[in-house]
Amino acid sequence: MKGLDFGSDKIPGNGMADKLKQGFGNFKLEEVKRDRFYTPMVIFQNGGINYLFAQSEKECKVHYSLFTSKGETVLLPDCKWKNFYNVHFAFMENGKTYLFGNSTKGDRWYISGLTPDWNGQSSVKSGRGLGMYDVIVPFQEGGRNYVFAHSSRDRSWFMAELTVAGGISGERIISGRWQKFYKVLIPFTEGGKNYLFAHSEQDNRWFISKLTAKGWDGQAEIRNGRWARFYPAATAFVKGGQAYAYFHSAKDNRWFIQKLATANGTDAELRNGNYGIFYDSVASFEEDGSHYLVAQSSNGNGILIEKLM
């Protein structure tokens, strides 16, 4: 694997920053291989311990493990499902963690409780009718869970409440259609309010808007722009109350970290570099006060673990 160059100002960038900034502690890199490619990856904590869930489209195999920056212990060595769920995320309700999955091919969604002794089979709610929405992200407002869903098929989107008892509500709080499909959607919080970062492969456009179940029209943007590359692999994390995002592109295998913020002048890259290959499945997790990246490449199934901050 190609090493990372933290000292060169010649790494091709966004046309935004020409000096690399670092200083987040020791850099850590480990790479191993899995038997197949798993995406998306979902990491949640229980009792201060991290657990990783992921599924492979190959044989619909499930991967569930106790996960650390030094390695993992597989908890479900041979679990396979009927459908491949290309949408997965974790959410909390009444202090408990749940997993939501949606299969665009199988036209089926489910909700399952996530615990250390999860058997990979039990679900508390399931249904059909969300098949066309291949990007779904959760957010909380006023103690309630909501989802924002977006379709690559016709660029439609909607917002609805999410509960364990009812799943995604059939009552749409708001819905509409955008001119572009935004594959990357990242909810984040600033000053106690929710916002949405969106990034599209069309013109490499991005925008930040409000994200609220009360009065948002789905169109008004706070900031927007265009990057020199499309960054389809992205994950967000919060440190010291500030939201950050890691972005990774298949072009030159470039990556960078920046703040997620509504104010102008906050787009400076805090770190950037190039990998030897493209890691198309990414997630982030916190361990002992530090934040880490775990990434897997569909080109060889290699796993990367890197300290972010």
Side-chain angles (χ1 to χ4, degrees):
M1 172 171 184
K2 181 181 178 181
L4 303 188
D5 182 1
F6 288 113
S8 170
D9 60 0
K10 297 180 181 179
I11 293 177
N14 292 336
M16 296 168 57
D18 59 359
K19 292 183 179 179
L20 299 179
K21 297 180 181 180
Q22 48 183 318
F24 297 132
N26 295 326
F27 175 76
K28 179 179 178 59
L29 177 66
E30 291 183 0
E31 187 174 26
V32 296
K33 292 186 183 294
R34 285 192 176 139
D35 60 340
R36 63 199 70 201
F37 178 64
Y38 292 89
T39 189
M41 292 186 284
V42 176
I43 297 179
F44 73 99
Q45 281 198 343
N46 186 293
I49 299 173
N50 287 302
Y51 295 84
L52 183 147
F53 168 89
Q55 190 187 16
S56 175
E57 191 167 10
K58 182 180 179 182
E59 298 180 319
C60 301
K61 187 176 180 180
V62 169
H63 183 92
Y64 190 54
S65 66
L66 189 156
F67 196 85
T68 75
S69 61
K70 298 179 181 179
E72 63 181 343
T73 301
V74 177
L75 302 176
L76 292 176
D78 191 24
C79 179
K80 298 176 182 178
W81 289 348
K82 179 180 178 180
N83 294 307
F84 171 65
Y85 294 84
N86 51 306
V87 174
H88 270 119
F89 61 80
F91 70 99
M92 294 194 70
E93 183 176 297
N94 295 327
K96 296 181 179 180
T97 304
Y98 295 89
L99 181 68
F100 177 91
N102 183 52
S103 171
T104 55
K105 290 184 178 180
D107 188 26
R108 185 182 187 273
W109 61 266
Y110 76 91
I111 294 174
S112 179
L114 271 182
T115 60
D117 59 352
W118 182 57
N119 62 13
Q121 300 295 335
S122 58
S123 63
V124 295
K125 192 73 177 178
S126 63
R128 299 185 180 276
L130 290 175
M132 64 184 297
Y133 290 94
D134 38 1
V135 183
I136 307 175
V137 293
F139 68 99
Q140 284 193 332
E141 184 176 76
R144 295 177 177 270
N145 288 301
Y146 298 89
V147 297
F148 186 88
H150 187 30
S151 171
S152 61
R153 187 180 304 176
D154 62 359
R155 307 180 309 284
S156 63
W157 56 264
F158 73 83
M159 184 187 299
E161 188 173 0
L162 170 66
T163 63
V164 173
I168 294 180
S169 172
E171 282 189 37
R172 307 308 193 214
I173 296 170
I174 187 174
S175 62
R177 192 185 312 274
W178 285 335
Q179 291 184 349
K180 305 177 189 296
F181 170 61
Y182 290 85
K183 179 179 176 62
V184 177
L185 296 179
I186 304 176
F188 69 97
T189 302
E190 179 184 279
K193 297 180 179 180
N194 290 309
Y195 297 91
L196 180 69
F197 175 91
H199 180 38
S200 174
E201 189 172 9
Q202 293 177 264
D203 302 327
N204 302 327
R205 188 179 189 271
W206 62 266
F207 72 81
I208 292 175
S209 71
K210 291 182 179 179
L211 183 63
T212 174
K214 301 176 181 179
W216 180 52
D217 63 3
Q219 300 295 333
E221 298 176 358
I222 298 173
R223 296 198 298 126
N224 60 58
R226 287 181 172 83
W227 286 335
R229 291 163 174 74
F230 175 52
Y231 291 84
T235 183
F237 59 96
V238 177
K239 187 175 180 66
Q242 172 65 56
Y244 297 87
Y246 164 96
F247 298 98
H248 183 32
S249 175
K251 183 179 180 180
D252 300 331
N253 304 321
R254 189 179 190 274
W255 61 268
F256 71 92
I257 300 171
Q258 74 172 37
K259 291 181 180 179
L260 288 174
T262 58
N264 292 321
T266 55
D267 296 334
E269 297 182 1
L270 303 175
R271 286 176 59 194
N272 61 30
N274 299 76
Y275 293 138
I277 58 176
F278 175 57
Y279 291 89
D280 27 353
S281 181
V282 299
S284 53
F285 64 98
E286 183 178 0
E287 180 183 283
D288 297 329
S290 296
H291 293 267
Y292 293 85
L293 170 79
V294 55
Q296 184 179 20
S297 175
S298 59
N299 179 16
N301 300 331
I303 295 288
L304 173 83
I305 299 175
E306 175 183 348
K307 186 175 180 179
L308 296 174
M309 284 190 182

